[in-house]
PDB file of all heavy atoms in Angstrom:
ATOM      1  N   GLY A 181      97.478 128.369  53.104  1.00  0.00           N
ATOM      2  CA  GLY A 181      96.950 129.119  54.203  1.00  0.00           C
ATOM      3  C   GLY A 181      97.181 130.609  54.105  1.00  0.00           C
ATOM      4  O   GLY A 181      96.621 131.339  54.893  1.00  0.00           O
ATOM      5  N   SER A 182      98.061 131.021  53.226  1.00  0.00           N
ATOM      6  CA  SER A 182      98.248 132.449  53.081  1.00  0.00           C
ATOM      7  C   SER A 182      97.191 133.228  52.426  1.00  0.00           C
ATOM      8  O   SER A 182      96.304 132.554  51.682  1.00  0.00           O
ATOM      9  CB  SER A 182      99.565 132.727  52.328  1.00  0.00           C
ATOM     10  OG  SER A 182      99.361 132.314  50.943  1.00  0.00           O
ATOM     11  N   LYS A 183      97.080 134.552  52.609  1.00  0.00           N
ATOM     12  CA  LYS A 183      96.004 135.339  52.081  1.00  0.00           C
ATOM     13  C   LYS A 183      95.938 135.203  50.619  1.00  0.00           C
ATOM     14  O   LYS A 183      94.852 135.187  49.984  1.00  0.00           O
ATOM     15  CB  LYS A 183      96.261 136.777  52.511  1.00  0.00           C
ATOM     16  CG  LYS A 183      95.025 137.620  52.150  1.00  0.00           C
ATOM     17  CD  LYS A 183      95.212 139.044  52.757  1.00  0.00           C
ATOM     18  CE  LYS A 183      93.961 139.967  52.324  1.00  0.00           C
ATOM     19  NZ  LYS A 183      94.145 141.245  52.807  1.00  0.00           N
ATOM     20  N   GLN A 184      97.157 135.104  49.938  1.00  0.00           N
ATOM     21  CA  GLN A 184      97.109 135.109  48.423  1.00  0.00           C
ATOM     22  C   GLN A 184      96.532 133.817  47.883  1.00  0.00           C
ATOM     23  O   GLN A 184      96.094 133.795  46.729  1.00  0.00           O
ATOM     24  CB  GLN A 184      98.563 135.103  47.947  1.00  0.00           C
ATOM     25  CG  GLN A 184      99.199 136.522  48.018  1.00  0.00           C
ATOM     26  CD  GLN A 184      99.569 136.849  49.549  1.00  0.00           C
ATOM     27  OE1 GLN A 184      99.548 135.969  50.343  1.00  0.00           O
ATOM     28  NE2 GLN A 184     100.084 138.046  49.822  1.00  0.00           N
ATOM     29  N   THR A 185      96.379 132.785  48.679  1.00  0.00           N
ATOM     30  CA  THR A 185      95.778 131.536  48.126  1.00  0.00           C
ATOM     31  C   THR A 185      94.319 131.373  48.461  1.00  0.00           C
ATOM     32  O   THR A 185      93.763 130.355  48.143  1.00  0.00           O
ATOM     33  CB  THR A 185      96.566 130.342  48.685  1.00  0.00           C
ATOM     34  OG1 THR A 185      96.488 130.260  50.074  1.00  0.00           O
ATOM     35  CG2 THR A 185      98.032 130.406  48.284  1.00  0.00           C
ATOM     36  N   GLN A 186      93.710 132.357  49.201  1.00  0.00           N
ATOM     37  CA  GLN A 186      92.404 132.332  49.553  1.00  0.00           C
ATOM     38  C   GLN A 186      91.378 132.732  48.523  1.00  0.00           C
ATOM     39  O   GLN A 186      91.751 133.598  47.632  1.00  0.00           O
ATOM     40  CB  GLN A 186      92.202 132.906  50.945  1.00  0.00           C
ATOM     41  CG  GLN A 186      93.051 132.593  52.086  1.00  0.00           C
ATOM     42  CD  GLN A 186      92.838 131.145  52.321  1.00  0.00           C
ATOM     43  OE1 GLN A 186      91.772 130.670  52.580  1.00  0.00           O
ATOM     44  NE2 GLN A 186      93.997 130.423  52.405  1.00  0.00           N
ATOM     45  N   PHE A 187      90.053 132.316  48.580  1.00  0.00           N
ATOM     46  CA  PHE A 187      89.090 132.751  47.744  1.00  0.00           C
ATOM     47  C   PHE A 187      88.577 134.035  48.196  1.00  0.00           C
ATOM     48  O   PHE A 187      88.114 134.209  49.360  1.00  0.00           O
ATOM     49  CB  PHE A 187      88.045 131.835  47.558  1.00  0.00           C
ATOM     50  CG  PHE A 187      86.813 132.247  46.748  1.00  0.00           C
ATOM     51  CD1 PHE A 187      86.976 132.350  45.287  1.00  0.00           C
ATOM     52  CD2 PHE A 187      85.591 132.526  47.311  1.00  0.00           C
ATOM     53  CE1 PHE A 187      85.944 132.762  44.556  1.00  0.00           C
ATOM     54  CE2 PHE A 187      84.621 132.970  46.497  1.00  0.00           C
ATOM     55  CZ  PHE A 187      84.715 133.009  45.158  1.00  0.00           C
ATOM     56  N   HIS A 188      88.483 135.090  47.392  1.00  0.00           N
ATOM     57  CA  HIS A 188      88.122 136.508  47.900  1.00  0.00           C
ATOM     58  C   HIS A 188      86.763 136.872  47.267  1.00  0.00           C
ATOM     59  O   HIS A 188      86.423 138.079  47.336  1.00  0.00           O
ATOM     60  CB  HIS A 188      89.193 137.503  47.515  1.00  0.00           C
ATOM     61  CG  HIS A 188      90.509 137.175  48.208  1.00  0.00           C
ATOM     62  ND1 HIS A 188      90.832 137.449  49.511  1.00  0.00           N
ATOM     63  CD2 HIS A 188      91.728 136.536  47.704  1.00  0.00           C
ATOM     64  CE1 HIS A 188      92.027 137.040  49.819  1.00  0.00           C
ATOM     65  NE2 HIS A 188      92.524 136.485  48.681  1.00  0.00           N
ATOM     66  N   GLY A 189      86.114 136.079  46.519  1.00  0.00           N
ATOM     67  CA  GLY A 189      84.746 136.481  45.952  1.00  0.00           C
ATOM     68  C   GLY A 189      84.914 137.580  45.036  1.00  0.00           C
ATOM     69  O   GLY A 189      85.740 137.599  44.112  1.00  0.00           O
ATOM     70  N   SER A 190      83.924 138.580  45.245  1.00  0.00           N
ATOM     71  CA  SER A 190      83.835 139.651  44.354  1.00  0.00           C
ATOM     72  C   SER A 190      85.027 140.747  44.394  1.00  0.00           C
ATOM     73  O   SER A 190      85.220 141.568  43.601  1.00  0.00           O
ATOM     74  CB  SER A 190      82.529 140.455  44.677  1.00  0.00           C
ATOM     75  OG  SER A 190      82.592 140.947  46.001  1.00  0.00           O
ATOM     76  N   LEU A 191      85.848 140.673  45.555  1.00  0.00           N
ATOM     77  CA  LEU A 191      87.039 141.420  45.552  1.00  0.00           C
ATOM     78  C   LEU A 191      88.022 141.131  44.513  1.00  0.00           C
ATOM     79  O   LEU A 191      88.869 142.001  44.206  1.00  0.00           O
ATOM     80  CB  LEU A 191      87.609 141.291  47.036  1.00  0.00           C
ATOM     81  CG  LEU A 191      86.712 141.737  48.153  1.00  0.00           C
ATOM     82  CD1 LEU A 191      87.375 141.621  49.494  1.00  0.00           C
ATOM     83  CD2 LEU A 191      86.239 143.188  48.025  1.00  0.00           C
ATOM     84  N   GLY A 192      88.121 139.932  44.114  1.00  0.00           N
ATOM     85  CA  GLY A 192      89.081 139.460  43.048  1.00  0.00           C
ATOM     86  C   GLY A 192      90.455 139.443  43.534  1.00  0.00           C
ATOM     87  O   GLY A 192      90.830 139.348  44.649  1.00  0.00           O
ATOM     88  N   LYS A 193      91.375 139.508  42.513  1.00  0.00           N
ATOM     89  CA  LYS A 193      92.775 139.404  42.770  1.00  0.00           C
ATOM     90  C   LYS A 193      93.421 140.484  43.466  1.00  0.00           C
ATOM     91  O   LYS A 193      94.468 140.501  44.009  1.00  0.00           O
ATOM     92  CB  LYS A 193      93.534 139.118  41.442  1.00  0.00           C
ATOM     93  CG  LYS A 193      93.167 137.793  40.675  1.00  0.00           C
ATOM     94  CD  LYS A 193      94.031 137.670  39.483  1.00  0.00           C
ATOM     95  CE  LYS A 193      93.660 136.290  38.825  1.00  0.00           C
ATOM     96  NZ  LYS A 193      94.532 136.093  37.529  1.00  0.00           N
ATOM     97  N   THR A 194      92.722 141.689  43.426  1.00  0.00           N
ATOM     98  CA  THR A 194      93.245 142.869  44.059  1.00  0.00           C
ATOM     99  C   THR A 194      93.456 142.559  45.580  1.00  0.00           C
ATOM    100  O   THR A 194      94.357 143.107  46.187  1.00  0.00           O
ATOM    101  CB  THR A 194      92.438 144.094  43.689  1.00  0.00           C
ATOM    102  OG1 THR A 194      91.140 143.820  44.103  1.00  0.00           O
ATOM    103  CG2 THR A 194      92.503 144.444  42.306  1.00  0.00           C
ATOM    104  N   ALA A 195      92.462 141.908  46.207  1.00  0.00           N
ATOM    105  CA  ALA A 195      92.495 141.558  47.552  1.00  0.00           C
ATOM    106  C   ALA A 195      93.643 140.791  47.947  1.00  0.00           C
ATOM    107  O   ALA A 195      94.244 140.834  48.962  1.00  0.00           O
ATOM    108  CB  ALA A 195      91.120 140.981  48.017  1.00  0.00           C
ATOM    109  N   ALA A 196      94.003 139.775  47.020  1.00  0.00           N
ATOM    110  CA  ALA A 196      95.075 138.936  47.290  1.00  0.00           C
ATOM    111  C   ALA A 196      96.387 139.704  47.069  1.00  0.00           C
ATOM    112  O   ALA A 196      97.312 139.317  47.839  1.00  0.00           O
ATOM    113  CB  ALA A 196      95.126 137.778  46.200  1.00  0.00           C
ATOM    114  N   GLN A 197      96.463 140.689  46.315  1.00  0.00           N
ATOM    115  CA  GLN A 197      97.703 141.466  46.211  1.00  0.00           C
ATOM    116  C   GLN A 197      97.819 142.568  47.255  1.00  0.00           C
ATOM    117  O   GLN A 197      98.901 143.066  47.349  1.00  0.00           O
ATOM    118  CB  GLN A 197      97.723 142.017  44.808  1.00  0.00           C
ATOM    119  CG  GLN A 197      97.798 140.975  43.540  1.00  0.00           C
ATOM    120  CD  GLN A 197      97.628 141.614  42.264  1.00  0.00           C
ATOM    121  OE1 GLN A 197      97.500 142.817  42.085  1.00  0.00           O
ATOM    122  NE2 GLN A 197      97.656 140.772  41.289  1.00  0.00           N
ATOM    123  N   ALA A 198      96.827 142.704  47.926  1.00  0.00           N
ATOM    124  CA  ALA A 198      96.782 143.854  48.980  1.00  0.00           C
ATOM    125  C   ALA A 198      97.764 143.458  50.134  1.00  0.00           C
ATOM    126  O   ALA A 198      98.031 142.294  50.344  1.00  0.00           O
ATOM    127  CB  ALA A 198      95.449 144.148  49.524  1.00  0.00           C
ATOM    128  N   SER A 199      98.303 144.481  50.817  1.00  0.00           N
ATOM    129  CA  SER A 199      99.224 144.160  51.939  1.00  0.00           C
ATOM    130  C   SER A 199      98.461 143.448  53.058  1.00  0.00           C
ATOM    131  O   SER A 199      97.289 143.770  53.371  1.00  0.00           O
ATOM    132  CB  SER A 199      99.751 145.491  52.487  1.00  0.00           C
ATOM    133  OG  SER A 199     100.555 145.246  53.636  1.00  0.00           O
ATOM    134  N   THR A 200      99.132 142.570  53.651  1.00  0.00           N
ATOM    135  CA  THR A 200      98.538 141.683  54.644  1.00  0.00           C
ATOM    136  C   THR A 200      98.297 142.360  56.011  1.00  0.00           C
ATOM    137  O   THR A 200      97.607 142.047  56.882  1.00  0.00           O
ATOM    138  CB  THR A 200      99.177 140.391  54.969  1.00  0.00           C
ATOM    139  OG1 THR A 200     100.585 140.761  55.156  1.00  0.00           O
ATOM    140  CG2 THR A 200      99.178 139.494  53.589  1.00  0.00           C
ATOM    141  N   SER A 201      99.128 143.415  56.311  1.00  0.00           N
ATOM    142  CA  SER A 201      99.132 144.124  57.589  1.00  0.00           C
ATOM    143  C   SER A 201      99.621 145.555  57.435  1.00  0.00           C
ATOM    144  O   SER A 201     100.698 145.719  56.718  1.00  0.00           O
ATOM    145  CB  SER A 201      99.961 143.369  58.504  1.00  0.00           C
ATOM    146  OG  SER A 201      99.940 144.152  59.800  1.00  0.00           O
ATOM    147  N   ASN A 202      98.864 146.501  57.885  1.00  0.00           N
ATOM    148  CA  ASN A 202      99.220 147.916  57.932  1.00  0.00           C
ATOM    149  C   ASN A 202      99.494 148.348  59.335  1.00  0.00           C
ATOM    150  O   ASN A 202      99.546 149.611  59.482  1.00  0.00           O
ATOM    151  CB  ASN A 202      98.146 148.806  57.214  1.00  0.00           C
ATOM    152  CG  ASN A 202      98.033 148.467  55.733  1.00  0.00           C
ATOM    153  OD1 ASN A 202      98.952 148.203  54.988  1.00  0.00           O
ATOM    154  ND2 ASN A 202      96.743 148.395  55.290  1.00  0.00           N
ATOM    155  N   MET A 203      99.642 147.481  60.161  1.00  0.00           N
ATOM    156  CA  MET A 203      99.785 147.836  61.621  1.00  0.00           C
ATOM    157  C   MET A 203     101.156 148.334  61.814  1.00  0.00           C
ATOM    158  O   MET A 203     102.245 147.831  61.419  1.00  0.00           O
ATOM    159  CB  MET A 203      99.560 146.620  62.564  1.00  0.00           C
ATOM    160  CG  MET A 203      99.651 146.924  63.968  1.00  0.00           C
ATOM    161  SD  MET A 203      99.264 145.502  65.080  1.00  0.00           S
ATOM    162  CE  MET A 203      97.622 145.214  64.525  1.00  0.00           C
ATOM    163  N   LEU A 204     101.214 149.558  62.628  1.00  0.00           N
ATOM    164  CA  LEU A 204     102.500 150.101  63.020  1.00  0.00           C
ATOM    165  C   LEU A 204     103.173 149.269  64.063  1.00  0.00           C
ATOM    166  O   LEU A 204     102.489 149.113  65.152  1.00  0.00           O
ATOM    167  CB  LEU A 204     102.283 151.633  63.441  1.00  0.00           C
ATOM    168  CG  LEU A 204     103.528 152.466  63.725  1.00  0.00           C
ATOM    169  CD1 LEU A 204     104.483 152.409  62.537  1.00  0.00           C
ATOM    170  CD2 LEU A 204     103.084 153.783  64.319  1.00  0.00           C
ATOM    171  N   VAL A 205     104.357 149.019  64.082  1.00  0.00           N
ATOM    172  CA  VAL A 205     105.128 148.223  65.026  1.00  0.00           C
ATOM    173  C   VAL A 205     106.131 149.101  65.613  1.00  0.00           C
ATOM    174  O   VAL A 205     107.104 149.621  64.865  1.00  0.00           O
ATOM    175  CB  VAL A 205     105.851 146.985  64.388  1.00  0.00           C
ATOM    176  CG1 VAL A 205     106.530 146.096  65.492  1.00  0.00           C
ATOM    177  CG2 VAL A 205     104.686 146.117  63.674  1.00  0.00           C
ATOM    178  N   GLY A 206     105.997 149.372  66.883  1.00  0.00           N
ATOM    179  CA  GLY A 206     106.930 150.235  67.597  1.00  0.00           C
ATOM    180  C   GLY A 206     107.259 149.768  68.925  1.00  0.00           C
ATOM    181  O   GLY A 206     106.849 148.668  69.431  1.00  0.00           O
ATOM    182  N   CYS A 207     107.942 150.502  69.745  1.00  0.00           N
ATOM    183  CA  CYS A 207     108.440 150.258  71.041  1.00  0.00           C
ATOM    184  C   CYS A 207     107.411 150.850  72.057  1.00  0.00           C
ATOM    185  O   CYS A 207     106.771 151.791  71.846  1.00  0.00           O
ATOM    186  CB  CYS A 207     109.778 150.767  71.406  1.00  0.00           C
ATOM    187  SG  CYS A 207     111.109 149.938  70.365  1.00  0.00           S
TER     188      CYS A 207
END
Side-chain angles (χ1 to χ4, degrees):
S182 65
K183 185 175 181 180
Q184 288 77 7
T185 61
Q186 304 301 309
F187 175 71
H188 300 280
S190 60
L191 297 179
K193 294 184 179 180
T194 57
Q197 298 172 357
S199 176
T200 58
S201 176
N202 294 320
M203 182 179 297
L204 180 64
V205 180
C207 292

